[in-house]
Amino acid sequence: MLNIIEIYSTLQSSLSAWHMQFPDNWPFVCVILGFTLLSLAEIQRPTLRQRPEQTLAAYRVNLGLFVVNSVLMSALSITGLWFALEHFSGEGPLDGIRSHGWKALLGFLLLDLLLYAWHRVCHRFDGLWLFHKVHHSDPYLNVSTAFRIHIVEMVMTTVLKALYIVLLGIDKTVVFAYETVYPLFVMFHHTNIAFPGEKWLGQMIVTPYLHRVHHSRERSEHDSNYGAILSIWDWLFLSRKEVEPAAVGIEQAVPPTVWGLVKFGFVNTAPPAPVPACAGAVTVNIHTMIAEAAYYKAEKRAFSPGYELYDWLEAKREILSQIQRDHNQFQGDRYMNC
């Protein structure tokens, strides 16, 4: 999600140019107030029972990662992308819509659709999941999980969003409104709470009940409910799922520190594919197989730099496909040999 410092520094500075009558620190105060209220709600009505030390550990790491991300985003001058909106927003296809109300509504919907699509793509491709898995790695889902974002994913999301806004010509006032309410919704649907009428509200917006499924350890469950604010996209694109997950997080061991999470985003930690047990069956080390295949690919290219991640992902895809074929063959022969 867009970090708070970015919202505070860039959008606040634009308010005077837009002649909007808001207090200077209004977006920042809203996010801090929202975080405080949702944290108190978690204490009063937690859905997933957690020990206080577990929650405090999650808060420490997640908020620490948020601070590091904010500093890095400022150092990389990524916030400068948003100042381009001063000159280029509102000049694309949407500028042809005469009704300000319809133009604002369509711009808001298109921004929300972009984040739905981008979220889904991050689950689909291994190269993007490397970084997105950091967000899913929190075993103690709570409001602070909203800030558990890898810096690489944050940079890619910011660049994509800025290009999208300029390409479509979404009005900067709509951008400001969306970026103000978006962090509040992200914090809300990560909050460890349940409340009456939540399923009814989930017909319109993403609620904690819907988003908990998205953080399930089961791949068949967490590849669903990608919405950011509106839940309509999951209805339209058949990705909605309503179940209560048995556990949240991921199967792999997760580093308990901020720096560990940053490095974790660059490490392929996919668990070994299951190999059926049978008397006399041989257990294989899938990571060794992938490493050897990746080395062979690099050797064919005379070890030219820049392709290491590509080689690894291609080798992983090939090895897993081969294991699946062997598994299918095994299933056909097991009753004869076991």
Side-chain angles (χ1 to χ4, degrees):
M1 82 179 226
L2 193 64
N3 65 73
I4 296 176
I5 289 180
E6 186 175 342
I7 297 170
Y8 184 59
S9 62
T10 63
L11 297 181
Q12 171 198 339
S13 64
S14 301
L15 287 179
S16 58
W18 299 344
H19 305 291
M20 299 179 69
Q21 302 302 314
F22 294 112
D24 285 345
N25 59 351
W26 181 74
F28 185 74
V29 170
C30 279
V31 172
I32 296 300
L33 180 61
F35 181 84
T36 302
L37 293 176
L38 291 171
S39 298
L40 292 174
E42 283 186 330
I43 296 174
Q44 297 296 321
R45 303 183 61 130
T47 300
L48 305 174
R49 292 293 173 181
Q50 300 168 2
R51 296 194 302 273
E53 59 269 24
Q54 293 173 330
T55 303
L56 289 175
Y59 271 54
R60 174 178 55 81
V61 174
N62 295 340
L63 295 181
L65 186 60
F66 160 72
V67 172
V68 170
N69 285 343
S70 298
V71 171
L72 290 175
M73 291 288 280
S74 298
L76 292 171
S77 299
I78 294 297
T79 55
L81 288 171
W82 292 102
F83 289 112
L85 301 179
E86 287 291 324
H87 305 287
F88 298 108
S89 66
E91 297 182 5
L94 292 182
D95 191 45
I97 301 176
R98 295 188 177 184
S99 170
H100 293 294
W102 282 110
K103 182 162 63 174
L105 176 61
L106 186 56
F108 191 94
L109 292 175
L110 287 173
L111 279 172
D112 204 49
L113 177 59
L114 169 70
L115 291 183
Y116 166 87
W118 172 241
H119 194 175
R120 190 162 184 170
V121 166
C122 286
H123 279 244
R124 175 65 180 82
F125 295 99
D126 290 346
L128 296 176
W129 174 254
L130 279 175
F131 306 109
H132 188 61
K133 74 176 186 292
V134 171
H135 178 65
H136 280 261
S137 67
D138 196 341
Y140 311 116
L141 190 63
N142 61 80
V143 63
S144 74
T145 307
F147 303 104
R148 192 183 182 100
I149 308 294
H150 196 278
I151 182 62
V152 174
E153 180 181 358
M154 185 173 289
V155 170
M156 289 190 294
T157 303
T158 303
V159 172
L160 176 66
K161 196 186 300 182
L163 293 175
Y164 184 80
I165 290 167
V166 171
L167 179 65
L168 293 180
I170 300 175
D171 187 77
K172 51 199 170 191
T173 306
V174 177
V175 176
F176 172 80
Y178 189 90
E179 294 299 335
T180 299
V181 300
Y182 170 61
L184 300 177
F185 275 90
V186 174
M187 289 189 296
F188 167 64
H189 64 232
H190 283 95
T191 306
N192 181 26
I193 58 172
F195 53 89
E198 184 178 1
K199 291 187 179 181
W200 176 84
L201 186 61
Q203 305 303 314
M204 298 175 287
I205 64 173
V206 181
T207 62
Y209 166 73
L210 288 175
H211 202 70
R212 269 197 306 277
V213 183
H214 183 74
H215 280 263
S216 171
R217 285 195 178 192
E218 295 293 331
R219 178 70 185 264
S220 61
E221 294 178 357
H222 81 219
D223 286 347
S224 64
N225 298 3
Y226 302 102
I229 294 180
L230 301 175
S231 60
I232 185 175
W233 310 120
D234 287 298
W235 277 115
L236 290 176
F237 299 108
L238 306 178
S239 57
R240 184 183 178 100
K241 188 163 291 186
E242 297 187 48
V243 297
E244 192 63 44
V248 299
I250 58 178
E251 296 291 343
Q252 294 80 44
V254 179
T257 63
V258 172
W259 178 237
L261 285 178
V262 173
K263 294 190 295 183
F264 186 58
F266 294 97
V267 177
N268 189 341
T269 56
V275 178
C278 179
V282 178
T283 302
V284 297
N285 187 325
I286 189 172
H287 293 293
T288 300
M289 294 173 63
I290 295 174
E292 290 175 351
Y295 180 88
Y296 176 72
K297 290 179 178 293
E299 186 179 36
K300 287 177 31 176
R301 290 186 292 93
F303 299 101
S304 55
Y307 294 89
E308 292 81 3
L309 179 59
Y310 176 80
D311 288 341
W312 178 272
L313 294 175
E314 283 296 306
K316 173 191 170 186
R317 191 174 296 109
E318 292 173 4
I319 295 298
L320 291 181
S321 296
Q322 182 61 50
I323 289 177
Q324 184 62 49
R325 287 194 295 269
D326 292 345
H327 169 68
N328 294 338
Q329 179 65 38
F330 176 86
Q331 290 290 74
D333 297 340
R334 65 180 303 182
Y335 296 109
M336 297 175 58
N337 301 326
C338 293

